[in-house]
Amino acid sequence: MFSKNKMAKVVLVSLFSLGALSGCGASSGSENSSTAGETSETFSYYQAVGESTNEYSNYSDNPSIRYLTKYMKWGKNKDVNINFDFSAPATGASSDVINTMIASGDYTDIMDTTGCSTSVADLYADGVALDLTDMVKEYMPNYLAWLDKHEEYKKVCFTKVNGEEKILKICDMNDSADPWGGFNYRRDWLVKYGANPTTKAAFTGGWKDGVWTDDVVFPSGEKDPIYVSDWEWMFGIFKTALTDQGISDGYAFQIPYNGSWGTGDVIDSFGAGPSFYLDQDKKTMKFGATSEASREYLKLVNKWYKAGYIDTKFAEHSTDMFYSVDTTKVSNGKVGMWYGLLHQCDNGMDLSSGKENSSVNGYTNGICVFSARQPINNSFGATSMQNITPFFFYELGLINVNIIITSKAQGKNIPALLTLLDYLYSDEGAFLSTIGLSKEQYEISQDPVYKKLGLTEGAWYYCDEQGIPWVEGTSTGKKMWREQQLLLDDEGLRGRMFGNRFMGRRLGNGNKFVHKSATYLHSLSEVSMFDSNFAMFYAAEQSLAGDDAFSFGKINTSINDFMSKNCPKFVNGVMDINNDATWNSYCQALNKYKPDTGVSILQNCYDNM
């Protein structure tokens, strides 16, 4: 709930914030005026992020939203027209705007709660958020069916109030957390400079007719790197490659400036998180920075640093995001393994234009990039730290944003609204949330935006496993769906053609035709190998509000600042990670920031989600 100080702060910014709130336009109602026996209902809807106005100025003219509001009826009897009056804040003003709206009582019927400093439970206690439990159970069977298939996310979507689970918010959902990045490595260097660990025979392989093949085998006996020891074996080969090609400013393995991934990658292979994390049981919040597992990770990275595998200037990249560190060297082919983007896989980084590798032309001629799964620690540290399935690393969650329906909507036809929302969690409706109109829906709506762009066949179509349009009664094999090439070529346009700023279910890649190489698809399967607790942890952290949010934020910031200054010293040897006195002194200094209090705050929040 709001403290007096917080309320005062919100009032001070109210003039700025409300000025930053812009309308996205209400439905005009000209195309869906009610006929006899039908009614109309309009809900004001606050979006935390507005849409580009490239194709339409009002979000009510988004093709998916327009179809829902002008060509479909809602309610149990399908006799209610639902319209929306959208508004969104100016860029960078979302937190100020939503908190001012709530504090002043001048909020909308529906609200995306992103940036809200008050928890949903407190919004309910304050009379802002409505209890939707009974209505969702009656009017949203598709929504609840998704949650039944993903039991662990009920914790995120339900809210405990005095020990009773209630539905106070409706969550946006993804069928799968399809990754966009991971640990990438130069497969071509393994072929050129590596040898079979058992037979010692040189590897063979390369590009032929645009397809990559090789006979690489790792020490694990697998064709992909499975263990931390497989990674270490690669680093030795990468170092040889750098020396042979005369790349004096390159390195085998890239790490972030602070010595570890704050998202938990690699450290979790030893059984802990980098700082605060959700443990393997998916129930217990812990602090890992002072654990022996964290120390063992630092010992290993220090070993790699001494071996010349790690950039000696890694700590200088303090402004780089973890997925785009030292991008100039990466793009010039001077790094053996790094955390990067999936589009770098295959030959996506070959910028040579056929020119020979050199300090002038770069070192990407003939490059082939694969992605690796999170590694399993098979040989470092105590046995209790070994053979642990990776469990805490960066991963997109299946739940994104959420909305509340507020007290302002009381007296309106909320059941009809919920039937509209529920449609977007059905197999049919999810296409409107994921990609946009089908050919049949376009023919019904004659959407002006689609017509102008030439999308008269719709945004997507069914196809077979080769991407050929599906013909009922003739096509065989797996029936898939494929996006129109126009949308694949322009990610921004793609997002504006479906309800990307609206609630719903997003279809995963399971039945989607992905027109990518075998190498790319293999890399995608590797980085998708394990499930992570990161998204659940993040959901709990983002649920903190009021004094808890302030206290945890202060603790977390102090700890992160301290670790960012000191962990690099363990990596480069300025501080001796193998010295017990030095390690104990480091842990004692960390404990002064009260990580146990941070754990208690997170655990209490998580238990009451």
Side-chain angles (χ1 to χ4, degrees):
M1 298 184 184
F2 281 93
S3 65
K4 291 182 179 179
N5 289 338
K6 181 177 289 186
M7 181 68 77
K9 181 179 179 181
V10 168
V11 171
L12 285 174
V13 300
S14 61
L15 291 177
F16 162 76
S17 299
L18 292 178
L21 185 63
S22 60
C24 296
S27 296
S28 65
S30 60
E31 297 179 68
N32 65 346
S33 56
S34 302
T35 59
E38 295 180 349
T39 59
S40 289
E41 195 75 84
T42 298
F43 291 88
S44 55
Y45 192 128
Y46 168 78
Q47 300 170 297
V49 179
E51 185 54 273
S52 164
T53 58
N54 288 30
E55 284 74 37
Y56 44 83
S57 58
N58 297 330
Y59 197 72
S60 55
D61 290 325
N62 170 285
S64 289
I65 301 301
R66 182 173 175 272
Y67 189 82
L68 291 169
T69 57
K70 301 184 186 304
Y71 297 96
M72 298 188 76
K73 310 294 183 185
W74 306 103
K76 282 200 167 182
N77 297 322
K78 304 294 183 185
D79 59 356
V80 181
N81 294 304
I82 298 293
N83 303 307
F84 297 101
D85 182 4
F86 291 103
S87 59
T91 302
S94 59
S95 182
D96 284 337
V97 167
I98 189 171
N99 289 310
T100 298
M101 291 171 73
I102 290 172
S104 66
D106 188 20
Y107 44 84
T108 57
D109 299 326
I110 304 168
M111 298 189 74
D112 179 336
T113 60
T114 302
C116 184
S117 61
T118 308
S119 69
V120 172
D122 285 344
L123 289 174
Y124 171 67
D126 291 341
V128 177
L130 296 180
D131 181 357
L132 304 174
T133 309
D134 292 337
M135 285 187 287
V136 167
K137 288 179 179 179
E138 183 172 357
Y139 298 105
M140 298 192 71
N142 292 305
Y143 180 79
L144 294 177
W146 190 96
L147 285 173
D148 285 339
K149 292 179 181 178
H150 305 83
E151 286 281 342
E152 68 274 22
Y153 282 94
K154 287 185 177 180
K155 191 171 188 66
V156 178
C157 297
F158 286 64
T159 305
K160 283 187 178 178
V161 178
N162 297 323
E164 180 183 357
E165 287 190 338
K166 291 182 176 291
I167 300 175
L168 306 179
K169 58 187 177 183
I170 297 171
C171 298
D172 191 72
M173 298 166 171
N174 296 303
D175 281 356
S176 60
D178 303 316
W180 48 261
F183 287 101
N184 294 339
Y185 67 93
R186 292 201 59 165
R187 187 83 171 193
D188 60 303
W189 279 359
L190 297 184
V191 171
K192 186 173 182 178
Y193 297 99
N196 188 295
T198 303
T199 68
K200 308 305 178 185
F203 293 132
T204 62
W207 292 106
K208 184 177 180 180
D209 298 327
V211 178
W212 178 270
T213 57
D214 64 49
D215 58 1
V216 170
V217 177
F218 288 82
S220 60
E222 301 292 334
K223 293 183 179 296
D224 296 289
I226 306 298
Y227 298 115
V228 175
S229 58
D230 287 334
W231 285 29
E232 188 172 69
W233 173 81
M234 281 198 293
F235 300 159
I237 296 173
F238 295 155
K239 186 178 180 182
T240 299
L242 291 162
T243 300
D244 181 72
Q245 297 196 21
I247 306 175
S248 60
D249 58 343
Y251 46 91
F253 183 50
Q254 183 187 89
I255 61 174
Y257 76 95
N258 55 1
S260 64
W261 290 267
T263 48
D265 301 69
V266 186
I267 296 179
D268 68 321
S269 301
F270 295 81
S275 179
F276 297 101
Y277 69 100
L278 180 61
D279 203 13
Q280 301 167 63
D281 62 3
K282 296 187 178 182
K283 297 179 181 178
T284 310
M285 293 290 182
K286 290 186 176 181
F287 181 71
T290 54
S291 67
E292 283 302 309
S294 182
R295 185 183 186 187
E296 199 60 44
Y297 162 82
L298 290 169
K299 285 182 179 180
L300 181 61
V301 179
N302 171 249
K303 173 188 172 185
W304 290 343
Y305 184 90
K306 290 178 179 177
Y309 298 157
I310 293 174
D311 180 17
T312 57
K313 299 180 179 180
F314 76 92
E316 295 180 9
H317 299 289
S318 58
T319 60
D320 293 349
M321 294 297 292
F322 70 95
Y323 54 84
S324 60
V325 176
D326 203 6
T327 53
T328 299
K329 286 183 183 176
V330 170
S331 62
N332 280 311
K334 296 181 177 182
V335 182
M337 188 176 198
W338 66 97
Y339 198 109
L341 306 176
L342 272 175
H343 71 69
Q344 295 172 325
C345 291
D346 205 37
N347 64 350
M349 291 183 63
D350 191 337
L351 305 177
S352 67
S353 299
K355 297 177 182 178
E356 290 297 316
N357 289 325
S358 69
S359 59
V360 176
N361 301 330
Y363 300 87
T364 64
N365 190 329
I367 192 172
C368 181
V369 175
F370 275 37
S371 291
R373 67 184 71 178
Q374 295 287 325
I376 295 172
N377 172 35
N378 62 320
S379 55
F380 301 98
T383 55
S384 61
M385 302 177 193
Q386 298 176 11
N387 299 310
I388 296 170
T389 300
F391 67 95
F392 193 80
F393 51 88
Y394 182 79
E395 182 182 68
L396 294 172
L398 300 187
I399 299 292
N400 296 318
V401 299
N402 61 73
I403 59 169
I404 59 171
I405 299 177
T406 75
S407 56
K408 297 291 185 179
Q410 286 181 320
K412 294 187 176 182
N413 197 336
I414 295 175
L417 169 66
L418 296 184
T419 63
L420 181 153
L421 294 175
D422 189 60
Y423 171 72
L424 296 174
Y425 295 88
S426 68
D427 291 342
E428 177 184 305
F431 278 100
L432 287 177
S433 299
T434 306
I435 185 57
L437 304 179
S438 66
K439 179 180 180 180
E440 292 76 13
Q441 289 168 330
Y442 167 75
E443 290 174 344
I444 292 171
S445 66
Q446 293 294 303
D447 187 85
V449 175
Y450 272 43
K451 183 178 293 186
K452 183 178 180 179
L453 293 170
L455 290 170
T456 55
E457 296 295 308
W460 61 276
Y461 56 93
Y462 285 115
C463 66
D464 62 20
E465 292 168 277
Q466 285 70 50
I468 299 171
W470 186 270
V471 179
E472 292 294 344
T474 302
S475 298
T476 58
K478 186 177 182 180
K479 188 176 183 179
M480 311 185 78
W481 60 275
R482 182 175 184 174
E483 298 173 74
Q484 298 288 4
Q485 192 61 44
L486 174 68
L487 304 181
L488 291 172
D489 292 341
D490 189 334
E491 185 66 24
L493 175 65
R494 177 183 180 273
R496 296 189 292 274
M497 292 303 100
F498 67 91
N500 63 326
R501 308 294 184 192
F502 201 73
M503 302 306 295
R505 167 186 155 208
R506 319 295 171 179
L507 298 170
N509 281 342
N511 290 314
K512 179 181 178 181
F513 178 81
V514 180
H515 189 53
K516 298 288 186 179
S517 69
T519 299
Y520 178 95
L521 295 175
H522 179 74
S523 291
L524 177 61
S525 69
E526 284 296 296
V527 297
S528 305
M529 187 62 61
F530 303 115
D531 292 325
S532 174
N533 294 343
F534 179 81
M536 297 297 288
F537 170 85
Y538 184 73
E541 185 179 18
Q542 293 300 300
S543 295
L544 294 174
D547 292 339
D548 282 345
F550 177 80
S551 297
F552 179 78
K554 183 177 180 181
I555 292 169
N556 198 36
T557 298
S558 297
I559 287 173
N560 287 338
D561 288 346
F562 180 83
M563 291 177 64
S564 294
K565 293 176 182 177
N566 289 280
C567 284
K569 297 176 183 179
F570 281 132
V571 174
N572 62 24
V574 172
M575 291 166 56
D576 187 0
I577 188 62
N578 295 293
N579 184 287
D580 290 343
T582 301
W583 175 253
N584 290 335
S585 176
Y586 168 80
C587 292
Q588 288 171 4
L590 264 180
N591 286 329
K592 290 181 180 179
Y593 297 113
K594 300 180 180 180
D596 288 346
T597 300
V599 170
S600 296
I601 291 172
L602 285 171
Q603 190 69 57
N604 183 64
C605 176
Y606 188 65
D607 289 342
N608 287 285
M609 283 173 61

